[in-house]
Amino acid sequence: MNMKVSLEELFAYCERNGISVGNIPEDVMCASTEAMMKGEDKFEVSDNTFAQIDEAHRKDVERQKQYDDISACRLAGMKAEDENNIDEAIAQYAEAIRIGEASEFDLLHAYRHAYDRIIILLSRTHAYAREAEHIEQLLKWHKLQDRDRTRLEERLRKTYIKINK
């Protein structure tokens, strides 16, 4: 089933509910543009358009919450590192990574620094097996630039040598 709405109605719905207009589906925006080009005020959309907008908003809110949680852990790790509390820094970076890896959203940009720092700190504390696990996880689950992948593969090779000494 379809219904007719105006762009103003959609924007008002978003404003009333604290929803970004960016959550309006692309096909709805295209239909509104097409209607305006024809001189029409209203256009047809699916009956579930408002539910789609609500779901897109819910996902935005959840993504932002996860991003904020990751950032808080990453920043706490950096602070702990500045205070020379290496165990706490490792724990905070590990939590940032855990939250990021569990997310349905691609948030690697939010916790990539945590990966880099935890790998370095685990190496410094001679926790080579854990270092290798983090490198393997990063290599296995993420699309990396060739240069980064090559650098990490080489680091992993050297870490295996340290483990086998």
Side-chain angles (χ1 to χ4, degrees):
M1 297 291 282
N2 289 334
M3 63 180 170
K4 285 203 172 227
V5 297
S6 69
L7 198 53
E8 291 79 24
E9 290 170 314
L10 287 171
F11 286 173
Y13 177 82
C14 290
E15 187 175 331
R16 257 192 331 274
N17 294 291
I19 297 173
S20 165
V21 295
N23 292 132
I24 298 174
E26 186 177 342
D27 63 321
V28 173
M29 294 306 291
C30 288
S32 75
T33 302
E34 200 173 298
M36 286 191 314
M37 289 173 59
K38 293 178 182 176
E40 300 170 356
D41 292 336
K42 294 199 174 214
F43 51 95
E44 277 196 25
V45 295
S46 171
D47 279 345
N48 70 346
T49 295
F50 291 106
Q52 290 175 344
I53 292 169
D54 290 341
E55 178 61 16
H57 175 66
R58 184 198 65 74
K59 282 189 170 189
D60 273 357
V61 168
E62 181 60 26
R63 182 186 184 285
Q64 188 62 50
K65 181 191 178 317
Q66 290 175 11
Y67 181 90
D68 291 347
D69 291 347
I70 290 166
S71 294
C73 291
R74 187 187 70 250
L75 292 170
M78 293 166 68
K79 183 176 188 284
E81 203 172 343
D82 284 346
E83 295 169 354
N84 209 26
N85 186 346
I86 303 306
D87 291 339
E88 180 63 16
I90 289 170
Q92 290 296 328
Y93 291 141
E95 182 63 7
I97 292 166
R98 186 196 67 74
I99 295 167
E101 294 294 343
S103 177
E104 70 179 282
F105 308 103
D106 180 10
L107 297 173
L108 181 61
H109 64 281
Y111 62 99
R112 176 59 196 265
H113 179 261
Y115 260 123
D116 292 341
R117 294 309 304 160
I118 201 168
I119 289 167
I120 290 167
L121 295 175
L122 290 170
S123 180
R124 284 185 189 161
T125 59
H126 307 287
Y128 302 126
R130 285 183 62 203
E131 176 188 358
E133 287 173 12
H134 280 88
I135 297 170
E136 289 167 352
Q137 183 175 326
L138 185 55
L139 287 168
K140 181 178 180 181
W141 296 109
H142 298 284
K143 181 166 175 43
L144 304 171
Q145 292 181 356
D146 290 342
R147 187 185 75 221
D148 287 342
R149 181 167 293 283
T150 300
R151 182 182 54 79
L152 285 166
E153 287 170 345
E154 179 60 19
R155 183 169 190 134
L156 183 59
R157 186 186 67 73
K158 289 177 181 178
T159 302
Y160 285 149
I161 290 170
K162 292 174 188 175
I163 290 171
N164 292 321
K165 279 188 178 180

